Amino acid sequence: MSVRAADWPAIRRLDGWPAIAAMLLAALALTVPLQGLGVDQWLADRLYAWEGGRWAWREAWWTSRLLHDGGRLLTVLTGAALAAVLLLDRRLHVLSARWRSAAGYLLVTVALCAVLVAALKRITGVDCPWDLLRYGGTRPWAPPFAGAGACFPAGHAGAGYAWVGLYFALGHAAPRWRRWGLAAGLVLGTVFGAAQQLRGAHFLSHDVWALAVCASVATGVARHWPGWTALSGHARR
């Protein structure tokens, strides 16, 4: 299916600021280990001191139950609802072609973000702040791939940042809402990430990596999504 470039005000500019921002974030995360520069430690030290020399909000209702457990449930239910709509559409054809393509793209993007972040967490061996002796834990700091933890990148922040794909999905189905979609993903990931930092579950760099991974996945999937020919510059003008 050929797509007119005039119909793609957001995706025609895929080589513009959204993709550039994703690449810059990825480059930052790959080349500048924030923890090694002291940025992570500097921020965590101040949060830890601010909470009285302990992670006072680790089990607080609003950080633990509302934003962590509730946020995780929200993202799971939203993904399940999206999958259910697509399955229902196969029988009832309730979606237009644009919305069907956008929904399929978004489901694949969110799923890939979750899988990739989870896989990285398993192999990077990075501890959470609350695991470290400096912050009341039991383990000394260890470099990446040498520790026993599974906290990097940030899974919970990644569950929010995975929805930055709304920028491209809405750029296809409802272009005037594309920036609101991007804002939703950024706000969700930032709120989830901040809550986890307050609990001692993650350093700042863990969230930066999660955003870089999710933004790169969203951009890459959009480039290769079937029918979105404008992404490769082949749309009719």
Side-chain angles (χ1 to χ4, degrees):
M1 177 179 172
S2 180
V3 181
R4 293 182 302 160
D7 295 332
W8 291 82
I11 298 184
R12 280 174 60 193
R13 294 193 293 274
L14 186 60
D15 293 318
W17 71 267
I20 291 172
M23 288 186 290
L24 287 175
L25 280 169
L28 172 66
L30 287 168
T31 61
V32 182
L34 297 184
Q35 188 168 336
L37 293 178
V39 177
D40 279 7
Q41 182 176 299
W42 179 88
L43 179 58
D45 281 354
R46 278 147 185 80
L47 292 176
Y48 191 66
W50 182 47
E51 295 181 40
R54 61 192 180 96
W55 297 113
W57 288 339
R58 179 171 179 172
E59 299 300 333
W61 176 84
W62 68 279
T63 55
S64 178
R65 302 293 181 266
L66 178 63
L67 292 177
H68 184 259
D69 296 346
R72 179 169 54 191
L73 180 61
L74 173 65
T75 55
V76 169
L77 291 179
T78 303
L82 189 59
V85 168
L86 284 168
L87 287 174
L88 183 65
D89 181 67
R90 296 190 64 175
R91 298 181 64 88
L92 302 180
H93 304 289
V94 295
L95 298 176
S96 68
R98 283 179 179 271
W99 281 104
R100 186 179 306 115
S101 180
Y105 157 81
L106 189 58
L107 184 62
V108 168
T109 296
V110 170
L112 282 177
C113 287
V115 169
L116 185 54
V117 169
L120 289 171
K121 283 167 64 72
R122 291 179 64 87
I123 66 175
T124 50
V126 175
D127 289 312
C128 301
W130 63 35
D131 294 323
L132 300 177
L133 288 168
R134 185 181 187 91
Y135 305 110
T138 59
R139 295 199 285 262
W141 181 86
F145 305 105
C151 298
F152 181 84
H156 197 49
Y161 287 134
W163 295 92
V164 297
L166 281 166
Y167 178 84
F168 298 115
L170 292 176
H172 176 37
R176 70 176 61 183
W177 295 101
R178 67 188 184 278
R179 291 188 179 90
W180 288 105
L182 177 62
L186 291 175
V187 169
L188 197 62
T190 300
V191 170
F192 286 176
Q196 288 296 84
Q197 287 185 54
L198 289 171
R199 298 182 68 220
H202 290 291
F203 287 110
L204 174 64
S205 64
H206 300 188
D207 292 348
V208 173
W209 263 79
L211 175 55
V213 168
C214 293
S216 299
V217 168
T219 303
V221 174
R223 275 192 172 279
H224 298 93
W225 193 249
W228 290 12
T229 54
L231 296 175
S232 301
H234 299 307
R236 295 194 300 267
R237 300 186 186 278

